[in-house]
């Protein structure tokens, strides 16, 4: 297993403290103590606490959700049909159980109402970025008569918004140590319901 650098340790401990106590209630001294550093030594790696937060948010922006469509040809993705939607839903589901992404998600939810930069990042990259990418793929599916004609942007919103909601439900249940069994099935059920309502039934020739 690769040994963590000091900078990685600072980010790891900071994330845990921010997610547990909140950004405002976590001091640089708290972070340095958790890492085992003198407070002054921490500034060799980050300018201040805001710099640590921005680095953590940058990591979230490059998470699996944000990069679902990166470096992939929309035309090729459109050929996958329902399996593409299943893959997207599975990505959301798996990230719900990834400790680091769970903590990043909790941090994002806590700070979104206090930090305008984080709100902008969330809106543009964490949500709208994926909506725009998926809408382009859905438009191609419509052009190829794979799904019913509709507003592709609205359709992309209708598919992705519930996934964010289900993910938050899983995280909240885990925080309270409650069973997630009913929530985790919603990801697959959503794909089945959504695809069933947009696909074009092909006539079968005998």
């Amino acid at each position: 297993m690769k040994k963590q650098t000091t900078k990685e340790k600072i980010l790891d401990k900071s994330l845990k403290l921010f997610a547990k106590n909140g950004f405002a209630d976590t001091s640089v001294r708290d972070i340095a103590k958790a890492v085992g550093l003198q407070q002054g030594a921490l500034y060799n790696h980050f300018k201040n606490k805001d710099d640590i937060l921005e680095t953590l948010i940058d990591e979230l922006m490059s998470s699996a959700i944000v990069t679902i469509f990166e470096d992939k040809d929309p035309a090729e993705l459109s050929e996958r049909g329902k399996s593409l939607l299943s893959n997207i839903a599975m990505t959301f589901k798996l990230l719900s159980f990834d400790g680091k992404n769970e903590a990043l998600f909790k941090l994002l939810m806590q700070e979104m109402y206090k930090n305008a930069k984080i709100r902008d990042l969330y809106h543009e990259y964490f949500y709208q970025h994926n909506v725009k990418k998926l809408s382009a793929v859905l438009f191609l599916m419509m052009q190829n008569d794979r799904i019913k004609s509709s507003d592709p942007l609205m359709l992309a919103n209708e598919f992705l918004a519930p996934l964010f909601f289900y993910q938050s439900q899983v995280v909240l249940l885990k925080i309270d140590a409650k069973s997630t069994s009913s929530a985790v099935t919603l990801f697959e059920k959503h794909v089945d319901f959504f695809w069933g309502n947009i696909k074009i039934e092909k006539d079968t020739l005998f």
Side-chain angles (χ1 to χ4, degrees):
M1 186 176 180
K2 183 182 175 183
K3 187 177 180 181
Q4 278 187 317
T5 65
T6 301
K7 188 170 185 176
E8 288 170 339
K9 287 179 182 177
I10 293 170
L11 290 171
D12 182 56
K13 295 297 184 182
S14 297
L15 176 58
K16 290 175 181 176
L17 289 170
F18 291 160
K20 180 181 178 182
N21 304 322
F23 178 72
D25 292 329
T26 300
S27 67
V28 172
R29 180 177 295 178
D30 294 331
I31 297 168
K33 182 179 178 181
V35 178
L37 290 175
Q38 293 294 321
Q39 187 172 333
L42 188 143
Y43 294 113
N44 293 327
H45 303 277
F46 295 96
K47 292 182 291 185
N48 48 41
K49 193 171 68 166
D50 286 332
D51 189 24
I52 296 174
L53 177 62
E54 289 181 17
T55 303
L56 288 169
I57 296 302
D58 284 342
E59 287 192 2
L60 180 59
M61 293 305 115
S62 62
S63 72
I65 290 176
V66 179
T67 57
I68 286 171
F69 303 100
E70 292 300 315
D71 301 320
K72 295 180 177 68
D73 179 24
E76 181 182 338
L77 291 175
S78 70
E79 292 297 316
R80 294 170 56 187
K82 184 182 177 181
S83 68
L84 170 66
L85 303 183
S86 295
N87 180 255
I88 294 171
M90 183 59 67
T91 299
F92 275 81
K93 180 178 178 178
L94 292 176
L95 285 175
S96 301
F97 292 93
D98 179 87
K100 184 175 182 180
N101 276 281
E102 179 186 345
L104 282 167
F105 183 79
K106 286 164 63 179
L107 172 60
L108 184 67
M109 292 299 102
Q110 289 177 44
E111 297 304 317
M112 191 181 299
Y113 299 97
K114 308 170 189 176
N115 190 313
K117 181 176 181 179
I118 290 178
R119 287 195 296 273
D120 289 341
L121 286 169
Y122 175 83
H123 180 74
E124 180 60 30
Y125 297 104
F126 198 60
Y127 188 69
Q128 288 301 325
H129 177 80
N130 285 323
V131 168
K132 292 172 185 175
K133 293 286 188 179
L134 180 57
S135 67
V137 174
L138 292 171
F139 176 74
L140 289 171
M141 289 186 190
M142 293 174 196
Q143 294 293 97
N144 294 323
D145 293 325
R146 302 202 67 179
I147 61 175
K148 299 171 185 175
S149 181
S150 183
D151 179 344
L153 197 59
M154 186 65 193
L155 210 58
N157 273 285
E158 289 183 352
F159 179 72
L160 289 171
L163 296 179
F164 280 94
F165 175 73
Y166 301 148
Q167 185 185 50
S168 67
Q169 289 299 101
V170 171
V171 172
L172 291 172
L173 288 168
K174 289 174 66 182
I175 290 172
D176 293 330
K178 294 180 180 178
S179 172
T180 61
S181 58
S182 60
V184 295
T185 63
L186 293 174
F187 294 92
E188 288 83 1
K189 289 179 179 178
H190 173 59
V191 174
D192 290 339
F193 180 79
F194 184 84
W195 184 254
N197 280 279
I198 67 170
K199 69 178 181 178
I200 293 178
E201 299 288 353
K202 302 291 185 181
D203 292 331
T204 304
L205 299 177
F206 294 95

